[in-house]
Amino acid sequence: MLPPLVIPVLYLVPVVPPPQVTPVPCLVPVAPVSDSCPLSCPGSPPPTSDSCPLSCYSFEQLCINYANENLQQFFVQHIFKLEQEEYTREGINWQNMNFIDNQEVLDLIGVKPINIMALIDEESKFPKVRILLLHPQTNQSGVVILNFIEVKPINIMALIDKESKFPKIRILLLHPQINSLSGVTLLGNIAEVFTEAVILVFQGTDRTMLNKVNRTHSGHKDYIKPKSDQDNSFGLNHFAGIVEYDIYGSYMFDRNLCCRQLRYSGMMETAKIRRAGYPIRHSFKEFVDRYRMLVPGIPPAHKTDCLGVYLGVRLIATQNIPLLCSRQTASGHIWVSGCKTHCNTKHPTVVFQTDCLRAYLGVRLIVTPNIPLLFLKLREAAIVFQKHWRGRAPHLLYLVMKRGYSRLQALIRSRRLKSEFVQTRSSIIALQAQCRGFVVRKVCGQKRELKKRRLQELLLLKKQEEAQMKKSGTKNYKLLAEDNYKQRLADLQKEVNDAELGAGVKSLDDDDYERLVDDLFGDIGDKSSPSTPVSPINKTTNVFGDLGAARQDMEEVIDMPHFPVTEHKIDLSEFNFRKFAMTYFRGNINYQYSKRMVKHSLLELPHPGDQGASLALWMTILRFMGDLPEPRYETDTVDNTPVMERVNQTLSRNILNNKSFQKHFSQQNGLSAVSDNVSTENRRKMISMTLKRQNRFNDTVHRSLMNEDYGSNSYQAWLESRRTTNLEKLHFIIGHGILRPELRDEIYCQICKQLTNNPTKASFARGWILLSLCVGCFAPSGKFVEYLRAFIREGPRGYAPYCEQRLDRTFHNGTRKQPPSWVELQATKSKAPIVIPVVFMDGSVKKLTADSATTAQELTEQLCANIHLKDRYGFSLFIALFDKVSSLGNGGEHVMDGISQCEQYAKEQGAQERNAPWKVYFRKEVFTPWHNPTEDPVATNLIYHQVVRGVKCGEYRCDKESDIAMLAAQQFYVEYKTTFDSTLISNVLPNYIPDQFLKSGGDKSIGRWEKLVVEAYKKSYYLKERTPDIRAKEDVVSYAKIRWPLLFSRFFDALRMSGTELPKNHVIIAVNWTGVYFVDDEEQVLLELSFIEILSITVHRSAQAQAHSFTMATVQGQEFVFQCVSTEEFDAIITYMQDGLRRRSQYLVATQDYSPPGDGLTLLSLQRGDLIMLEPGTTGAVVLDTNWCVGTCQRNGQKGHFPVESVYVLPTLDRPLDSLLDHFKSDGLFDKNKSKQQSTLSVPRRKLHTLEKYAAQNFRSNQSLSVSRGHTLTSARRTSASELWKHTREPLRQPLLQKLLVHQELAEDACHAFSAILKYMGDLPTRRSRGGVEYTDIIFRVALKNDMLRDEIYCQIMKQLTDNRNRLSEERGWELMWLATGLFACSQNLLKELTLFMTMRSHTVSRYSLDRLQRTLRNGQRKYPPHQVEVEAIQHRTKHIYHKVYFPDDTDEAFEVNSSTRARDLSRDITVRLNLHSGEGLTLFIKILDKIFSVPEAEFFFDYVRELSEWIKRTRPSRGAAVGAEFQYQVFFMKKLWVNAVPGRDKHADTIFHFPQELPKYLRGYHKVSKSDAIRLAALIYRTKFGNSKDELSLVSHMLAELVPVNLVKIQSPKDWSKSISSAFQQTAGLSPDDAKIAFLKHTHTWPTFGSTFFEVKQTTEPAYPEIIIVAINIKGINVIHPSTKEVLAIHPFTHISNWSSGNTYFNIQIGNLVRGSKLLCETSVGYKMDDLLTSYIFLLQSSIGKRSVRL
C-alpha cells in the first residue's frame, strides 16, 4: 500500500507572525486520518484544523501573497532569464545556471482555466463541491470522494450508477502512479457520467492517457504541471516557499530559515550569476567616450563611427590575444593580466566592450617596453592632478572666508574710526563754537562801544549846532539840527556796516574801479563820457566810400533788450569756494590769497602739458593783479605780434613740425593752397572772406591742443623775455581759457583764490576786473559753475550783479573766440553797455548798445525792428578795417570777436589797438530765390543804395556801357524824378559813373556818358508813365540779383577731403539764390550746382577737430566731402534755401513705382522718375503737410491723387530739364541719400515700446492678402505677415484682437473704425475733409457702446503710431490718442502696455494723453463721442479748453473745461473764482437754439452738450445741416434752487445772481406788489442803474417799463410815477449801486413768491381756477397764482405731490393719493422745465433729510 497523498499548503514565511484574523475554510481541507483513509501518512499524527497553516490566513493574505509572487517572478525574469538570453544572443560560451522559478506557483494560483482562484470562485458559486481522487491502488470499483464534510471511499460503479447522488463532482485528482491503461478506462467511464468534470493531472501522470481522454471527450479540460528532473514525487516540495511553518515567535534568528528565504527570493542565484557573468555593459557611444583617450587616434563619439571603432579594437584584441597568452585554463578560456576575457582558443570571440578594452590594454602592457616606468609616471601625474583638484575647492572656500573676514575687519575698523572721528569732530566743533563766539562777542562789544561813543558824540554835536543856530537867529533850528543828526547817523551806520566786511577792500566805489582800469590799460578815452566810446568811424576805413561820417552823431542810441539775471532755484548757500578748494585742490594748496609760487596746478588736469600752462597762467595772474614783479631783464625790441598769435604759435609749434601731420596734408592738393601766399589782389576779390580766413583759431591749433604738444620754451620766453602790458597779460589769460576748455576751471580757481581774503585794495580790485572780463568770454564747467555763482554773489556790491549777468549771457550765447577788445575794456570802467555805430548803405547810422556776449543775430534783430524791416533774411553785419571786409553774418557769431580781431590786425600793422579804424556795416549779403522787391520797400531801398554805391566804387562791375547808363538814368530818376536839365545831369553824372570809366576816356568821356544817360533816361518807362521812384529801385534790385549772383553770396572756406575730384582741393564755396558755386582763389568757377541737384547734406561732427566736415550728395551720384569751419552755417543756409523752394514749388518727381487700387477714387499710376505738376494754387507746402495730394503726371497727362510718400518735392520754381529728371530714374537714389523732405516726414527714433509681445499673445494670426505689385507703399511693404502691430496704409479685413473674431457684428465695427482712423490720419485718401466729428464718431461710438471694442480701438491707434514714418500722420494719430484717453480706459490686460507706450514716447501729446488716461480711470468713462470743441482743440494743439460762461449780470468769464469735467466740477470752479460763500442752488444751463436746459451735476459737461445736440438733430432735422455739424450753444451759470438765499449774507451772490434774476420776474408782474412798494423799489432800481446821478430822473416817465411792474404802470400817470420815484430816490441817498441791489432783495425777500420760477400755463381740470394760471415753483412747493390779482390760489407742498409727468405740450401733477387726491392738467410748451425744476427741489429735500438723519 502506497503512502497517502499529502497536499502541502502554499504560503510565504513571514519574519513576524501574521496578525490574527478571522480564519476561513481551507482551500483543501484536511480531515482526520484513520487507518482506512488513503490520505493518511504512516507514523504521522492526524492533522487538525489548528495544525493547518492555511487556517491562519484570510483571503486578503492570499491576494497579498499572489502579488508578492508576481513581483518575485518579475525579478526572476530580468535577473536570470533575460540575462542568460542576452549572453546567448551575444554568442558567449555560457552554461545556463539553475535557479528556482516560482512560475509553477503562479500558475497554480492564477493561470486559467483551473487554479486556486478559480476554485474559490467555483466554491462560492457551488458550495460543498466533491473532489474525486483517483488512487493507483483503487480499482474500477472504488474511488475516494473528498468534500468539506468527510472523506470516504466509494465504489466507482456505484458512483456511476447513482450519478444523481453526486451531482456536484467537478474536480478529479489523478495520482501520478496511475498508469495509462487503468487511467484511460477509468477516466473514460467517469467522463461519460461527469460530463462537466475537470480532470486535474499532477506530475508523474502519463500524458498519453490524458490525450486519449481528451480526444474521446473533448469537453474535459486538463491541467498539467511541468515535469522536474530533480523531483519526481507527487508532492510540491520543489517549489520555493513550501515550508512547514511550525514555529512562531519574534526576535528569533534561524539561519536555515533565512537561507531558505534568500534562496527562495533569488539572492543566492543573483550573487552567483553576478560573480560568473558580466554586469556592466556600455553602448558603443558610451564606450568610445569613456575609453577613447587610452587609444591614440580615436576622435570623439559624435565625430566617428562608434561601431567601427569597437570592431577595430575587437579585431586587434582577437588577433593578438592568442599569441600573447602565457596561460590557458582547462576550459579553454584565456587569462590576460589576471582578467578573464572568456575567449575560446579555437574560436576567439570578444564578449563585451569592457573585455575588449581589457584585452587590448593587456596587449599594450605586454608589447610595450618599460611599461612600469611609464605607469609610475602616469600615476604620479594623476596623483598630482588629484591633489590640486581636490585642494581647489578648499582653497576657494578659504578665499571666500578670507574676504569675509577682511570685510568684517574693515567694517569693525571703519566703525571704530568713524566713532573716533565723530567724537573728535564734535569736540572740535564745540571748540570752534567757543572760539568763534568769543571773537564775535569781542567784535560786537567793540562795535557797541564804538557806536555808543559815536552816538554820544553825535548827540553832543547836535546840541552844539542847535545852540549855535539859536544864537545866530536861524529859524527852524531844531528841525535843521535834527536833519543833520539823521544824516550823520546814517553815515555812522554805513561805517559800521563797512567795518564788518573787513580790510575795507569791498567798499570800493565806481570811481576806484575807473581809476584802476585807467591804471591797468592806460588812458582809454574821453573822461567826460566813460560809457560812450570814442567812435573809430571817422578813421581811414573807407571801403564803401565815406558813409555815415556826417550823420553818426545825429542818431539816437538804440538800447539793447534787457537781459535780467536768471533766477536759479538752487540754493547756493551750500556752494562755498572754500568747500570746493578743500575737495578738489591738489596737495596742500589752500583757498586763500597767496603771493607764493605754486609747484603744480590747483586742479587735476587731464593732460600733462596743461601743468606748464597752469604755472604760466599763475604767474601771469599774479603780475596782472600786481602781486608779482615784472622780470628784471627785458629786451629793447618792440614786438607787435598779437598775444593771441603767440599763444597759437606756442600751442601749435610742435604739431606743425610733426612728420605725420605734414605727410597727411602733403597727400592733399590743398596743402599748397594753405601754405602758398596768395596775392593781395586776388584776396581782395573775395572781400567777404579776407579776415575770416585769417582767423587765429584754426584747426591746426585745435589738433595741437588735443595732441598735448606744448612749447615750454615759449612759456619761459613769455614770462622772462620782456615786460608785457596788462592788455597782453589779459589776452594771454583769456586766450588760454578760450582755446583750452580744460584750463577754464583752473583759471577761475586761481582768480578766486587770489580774491579770497585779499588784504591789498588794488590787487583785490584788479582781480575783480579780471574776473568780470573772463566771465564775459568763457564759462566754467558744470562742476564749478554753481561755486562761481556763489562766489560772485558775495563780491563787491558794484561788480557782483554785473559779473553774474555777464556769466548768464556767456552761458546763453556761448564761448567767445577772441579775447576782450579795447572797446570792452573801455566799457568795463563804468560797467556800462558798449555803443556800436552801424552804418547803412544809404548813409544813415544807427548806434546800438551791446555787451561782450552780443551776437550778430541780436544786433540784426535790433536794427530790423528799429527800421521796420520785414524781409530780413540775407541782411548781415559786415566789419571793415582798412581795405579788408569780413562778414559777421546774422547768426551766432559774436560781434566783439570781430572787433577784437580787427584790433589785433591793426597791431600787426603797427597801430595801437585803440586806434583801429573799424566800421560795422549793415548790408544785403545773399538773396533768396523767391525774393520779391515789391514786398518790402525798406529792404528795397537799402539794397538799391548798396547796389548804386557798389557800382560807383567798383564793387559791382558791368560789362556793357548801356547797363551803366541805364543804372545812372534810374538813379537820376530816383533823385530828381521828371526834372530834366542837361546842366544838372552834367553835375551829378560823376556821382553815378564808376571812376575807372571816367578816367579812361579823359575829358570827352563826360559828354559821351551824358549822351548815353540822357538817351537811356528818355527811353525808360518811368518817365513815360511817371511811376513812383520805388519802381526804379525795384528794377535796380532785380537787375543786381540777376546780374551779380556770385557777389551776393555767402562764402565758406573749405578743403576737399575725399569724394569726387575737383581741379583744386582748397576751394571757396559760394551759396547764393541760384545754387552753390565752387570757386578757387582766382575766382574761377570749378563747379556749379543748383539746389535741385543737391540731394542731401550730411554733417560729420568731430570732437578732435574744430572744423567739422560735411558730405554733399548730388542727383548725378557724386559725393563731395569737405572740411569747413562754418559747417553748421553752411548746412543751415542750404536747408533754408531748399525748404523755401520746396514750399513754393509746384514740381514733384516720383521716387518709386505706384499702382493704385481699384477703389473708385481717381489715383495716379506712377513710375520712378515721373514729373508731377501740382494744381494751380497748390504748392509744395501742402504736400509737406499732408499725406495725399492732387496733381498731373506729365508723362501721360493724367490727373488724380497720389501718395506723398512716393514723391519728392523738387526745390525749384521753374520746370526742371528732362536731362536732369533722367537722374531721378536711377535705382537706389533715395535709399542711399535720405533727402530733407524725407527727414521732415519722419523723426529719428530710439528703441520704443511696442505691442509686439502683446500682439503675439492676443492678436489674430495675420493672413497674407494678395495685392498688386506697387499698390502697397513703402510703409506697408516693410510690414511682414506677422507684424500686425506696425503702421500700415491698408484697411483691415478682420479685427486685430483674437477675441473679436467670434463676434461678426463687432468685427465689422472694428474694421469700419480702422478705416475711419486711416482716413482721419490721412493714410487713406478721401474726398471729405478731416474737419468735424464724422470720423471720430465712427471710431469712438462703437467703443463706447461695447466694452470689448475699447482695447481694439487702442490697439489700432497704437498700431498706427508704431514705426509711422509720416510726421503728419503721426501727429493726427496722437490727436486720436488724446481724444481716446479722455473718453474711456482700456482693460487691465492692456493698461500696462498702453502706459509704457505713451511713457516712452517723447511726443508732447503723449504726456498729456497719459494724464488724461489717469483722470479717466479716476472719474469714469464718457457716454458720447468727443464734442466738436474737443476735436478742434486738439487739432489746433490746444491742450486746455477754455469755455466762456455767462452770468445773469451780463458778464462772462472763461473757465477751463476738459474731457473729464463734470457739471459739479465746473460749478465748483466757478464758485471759487467768483469768491462765493456757497454754490448751493447754482446750476449750469445750456442754451441751444431757443431752448434752455439745466445740466445735471453728475453728467460730463461735453456728454450733456453732445446729448442735447443729437436730441435737437432728431427732433428738428435740417436738410442743409452738414454731417457731423454741431449746433451753437451758450453756457449760463444761474440760480436754480432758491435755498438759503438770504440777502446780505453773500454780497457777490446778491449782485451777480440774485438781483439780476429777480428783477425780470418783478418787472413782469408775477409778484403781488403795492403801490408804495413799487415806488420804493423803482427808486432802488434807478440807483442800481445810474448810481447817484440825477440827470436821468427827468427821463423816468419814458423808462417806466424798466422800473415798475408791467401790471402797475397804468395805475397812475407817468408824471406821477416820475414825481414819486424822484421823491423816493432822495430818501435812498447814500446807497451805492450794490447796496441798492441788496436793499431791493431784502425788501422782496419777505414776499411768499420770492425765489420762485414762474410758468404761465393753461389748466383744464379745476373749474375754480381761471383758465390761464401762473404756476410758481419754489422751496415751499407748487403755488397756483391768479394771473390778474396775483393772489395765491393754492399751495401744494412737495410732500403732497404723489406723481407728475411732462411732455412737449403738457405738464400733469397728481396731488394727494388716488382716493382723495386731485389732478392738475396743464397745457404748456415748457413742461420739461417744470419737470426738471420739480425733480431738483424734491431731490434736494430728500438729500437734506437724509443728511439730517445721518447727523442724528
Side-chain angles (χ1 to χ4, degrees), residues 1328-1426:
R1328 295 181 180 177
S1329 61
R1330 194 173 63 99
V1333 294
E1334 177 185 1
Y1335 295 134
T1336 55
D1337 285 354
I1338 298 175
I1339 297 170
F1340 299 114
R1341 190 181 296 276
V1342 293
L1344 290 171
K1345 290 182 179 179
N1346 196 299
D1347 297 346
M1348 297 180 65
L1349 287 174
R1350 295 173 188 171
D1351 288 356
E1352 175 73 17
I1353 297 300
Y1354 272 115
C1355 290
Q1356 291 179 4
I1357 297 175
M1358 286 189 285
K1359 164 187 171 65
Q1360 293 304 101
L1361 288 175
T1362 302
D1363 202 12
N1364 191 340
R1365 299 180 181 178
N1366 191 305
R1367 178 183 56 82
L1368 183 60
S1369 175
E1370 185 180 19
E1371 291 290 332
R1372 293 176 177 177
W1374 280 112
E1375 293 176 8
L1376 293 177
M1377 180 65 76
W1378 188 85
L1379 293 172
T1381 52
L1383 295 177
F1384 52 83
C1386 60
S1387 64
Q1388 292 296 327
N1389 187 29
L1390 185 62
L1391 182 60
K1392 181 180 178 181
E1393 300 290 334
L1394 178 61
T1395 305
L1396 290 174
F1397 184 89
M1398 292 189 292
T1399 303
M1400 297 186 65
R1401 262 62 180 183
S1402 59
H1403 200 279
T1404 308
V1405 182
S1406 63
R1407 186 178 74 255
Y1408 292 102
S1409 300
L1410 189 59
D1411 296 340
R1412 286 167 60 87
L1413 179 62
Q1414 299 300 327
R1415 286 199 298 267
T1416 303
L1417 290 172
R1418 293 193 304 266
N1419 301 333
Q1421 72 164 18
R1422 296 264 297 272
K1423 296 188 298 184
Y1424 289 90

Side-chain angles (χ1 to χ4, degrees), residues 620-844:
T620 306
I621 291 174
L622 292 182
R623 288 177 180 176
F624 182 87
M625 297 177 65
D627 298 327
L628 189 67
E630 293 291 335
R632 296 181 181 180
Y633 306 99
E634 55 179 292
T635 60
D636 296 334
T637 59
V638 178
D639 189 4
N640 291 329
T641 305
V643 177
M644 290 305 299
E645 185 173 349
R646 292 201 297 272
V647 172
N648 288 330
Q649 293 174 358
T650 301
L651 297 177
S652 61
R653 178 175 294 114
N654 294 335
I655 188 63
L656 289 174
N657 297 329
N658 194 337
K659 293 182 180 180
S660 61
F661 175 79
Q662 294 179 357
K663 180 180 179 181
H664 171 72
F665 277 91
S666 64
Q667 297 174 358
Q668 306 293 338
N669 295 331
L671 184 60
S672 59
V674 176
S675 58
D676 291 345
N677 295 324
V678 182
S679 63
T680 306
E681 181 181 358
N682 291 332
R683 286 183 177 272
R684 288 178 181 173
K685 294 180 181 179
M686 294 298 174
I687 57 177
S688 62
M689 289 300 301
T690 302
L691 293 179
K692 186 170 287 188
R693 289 181 60 188
Q694 294 183 5
N695 194 339
R696 302 291 179 248
F697 303 106
N698 49 40
D699 188 40
T700 304
V701 176
H702 194 76
R703 287 198 192 95
S704 66
L705 292 175
M706 291 300 174
N707 291 339
E708 309 153 15
D709 293 331
Y710 294 92
S712 58
N713 296 331
S714 300
Y715 286 126
Q716 193 69 20
W718 161 260
L719 297 173
E720 306 269 340
S721 62
R722 66 181 183 87
R723 187 186 301 270
T724 56
T725 64
N726 289 321
L727 183 59
E728 292 175 335
K729 296 184 182 69
L730 179 66
H731 284 195
F732 183 84
I733 297 169
I734 296 181
H736 277 81
I738 293 173
L739 289 173
R740 191 67 176 168
E742 289 79 3
L743 292 174
R744 293 173 185 173
D745 286 354
E746 178 72 19
I747 295 173
Y748 279 118
C749 287
Q750 291 181 6
I751 298 174
C752 293
K753 171 180 170 59
Q754 291 304 100
L755 289 176
T756 304
N757 296 335
N758 192 328
T760 307
K761 185 175 183 179
S763 176
F764 182 81
R766 289 187 177 199
W768 274 103
I769 294 172
L770 176 61
L771 182 61
S772 65
L773 294 172
C774 288
V775 296
C777 294
F778 58 88
S781 66
K783 180 176 68 174
F784 186 66
V785 59
E786 302 300 339
Y787 293 94
L788 181 60
R789 289 186 187 277
F791 184 86
I792 289 175
R793 291 186 180 182
E794 295 177 357
R797 290 187 297 271
Y799 261 74
Y802 175 70
C803 292
E804 188 170 5
Q805 183 178 9
R806 287 170 65 90
L807 180 61
D808 291 335
R809 291 277 293 153
T810 303
F811 264 109
H812 183 268
N813 291 345
T815 303
R816 291 267 300 272
K817 297 181 180 179
Q818 296 292 337
S821 62
W822 170 82
V823 179
E824 293 179 76
L825 300 178
Q826 186 182 12
T828 305
K829 293 192 305 179
S830 59
K831 301 179 289 296
I834 305 167
V835 178
I836 300 177
V838 180
V839 182
F840 292 85
M841 299 313 295
D842 60 353
S844 61

Side-chain angles (χ1 to χ4, degrees), residues 176 203-204 230-238:
Q203 295 172 344
Q230 299 177 358
D231 192 0
N232 295 325
S233 64
F234 182 75
L236 302 178
N237 304 11
H238 60 279

Side-chain angles (χ1 to χ4, degrees), residues 139 141 260 271 286 345 382 706 801 970 1053 1142 1152 1294 1304 1342 1345 1440 1494 1547 1578 1651 1669 1751:
N139 52 21
S141 62
R260 287 197 305 272
E286 293 174 350
T345 55
M706 291 300 174
Q970 291 171 334
D1053 199 0
R1142 287 194 185 96
Q1152 62 184 7
Q1294 290 180 338
Q1304 182 64 28
V1342 293
K1345 290 182 179 179
H1440 304 281
S1494 63
K1547 184 177 180 180
I1669 60 174
R1751 287 196 299 268

Side-chain angles (χ1 to χ4, degrees), residues 332-346:
H333 294 88
I334 300 174
W335 293 81
V336 180
S337 302
C339 181
K340 190 174 183 180
T341 62
H342 297 275
C343 292
N344 191 276
T345 55
K346 296 182 180 180

Side-chain angles (χ1 to χ4, degrees), residues 1560-1571:
K1561 293 184 286 186
Y1562 167 74
L1563 294 178
R1564 289 172 186 166
Y1566 290 140
H1567 301 282
K1568 183 178 181 180
V1569 185
S1570 63
K1571 180 180 177 181

Side-chain angles (χ1 to χ4, degrees), residues 264-424:
Y264 168 73
S265 62
M267 288 296 104
M268 294 296 188
E269 289 78 3
T270 301
K272 184 177 180 181
I273 196 173
R274 286 300 181 223
R275 291 181 59 187
Y278 307 93
I280 300 175
R281 293 181 298 275
H282 297 287
S283 64
F284 297 122
K285 181 178 180 301
E286 293 174 350
F287 174 76
V288 173
D289 286 337
R290 186 176 182 90
Y291 299 108
R292 71 181 183 84
M293 300 302 296
L294 301 177
V295 181
I298 297 180
H302 64 278
K303 294 184 178 181
T304 185
D305 183 11
C306 300
L307 179 60
V309 172
Y310 164 72
L311 294 177
V313 175
R314 177 177 177 176
L315 181 61
I316 295 174
T318 56
Q319 291 178 356
N320 292 279
I321 286 176
L323 301 177
L324 301 175
C325 289
S326 59
R327 292 185 301 163
Q328 188 172 1
T329 61
S331 60
H333 294 88
I334 300 174
W335 293 81
V336 180
S337 302
C339 181
K340 190 174 183 180
T341 62
H342 297 275
C343 292
N344 191 276
T345 55
K346 296 182 180 180
H347 303 285
T349 301
V350 181
V351 182
F352 277 89
Q353 297 102 332
T354 305
D355 300 306
C356 176
L357 179 65
R358 292 173 181 173
Y360 181 72
L361 294 179
V363 172
R364 293 196 62 184
L365 289 175
I366 294 174
V367 300
T368 304
N370 300 324
I371 201 65
L373 298 178
L374 179 61
F375 170 74
L376 294 176
K377 291 182 180 180
L378 292 176
R379 188 175 65 176
E380 291 177 358
I383 292 174
V384 172
F385 180 78
Q386 288 178 350
K387 177 182 68 176
H388 288 283
W389 178 254
R390 293 172 180 173
R392 182 175 179 270
H395 181 67
L396 294 178
L397 181 60
Y398 165 75
L399 293 179
V400 172
M401 294 176 61
K402 182 179 179 182
R403 286 195 296 269
Y405 282 113
S406 299
R407 180 59 181 165
L408 180 61
Q409 289 177 354
L411 292 175
I412 295 174
R413 291 172 182 173
S414 63
R415 178 166 296 185
R416 183 172 65 252
L417 292 175
K418 179 182 178 180
S419 177
E420 295 175 356
F421 169 75
V422 170
Q423 185 177 0
T424 305

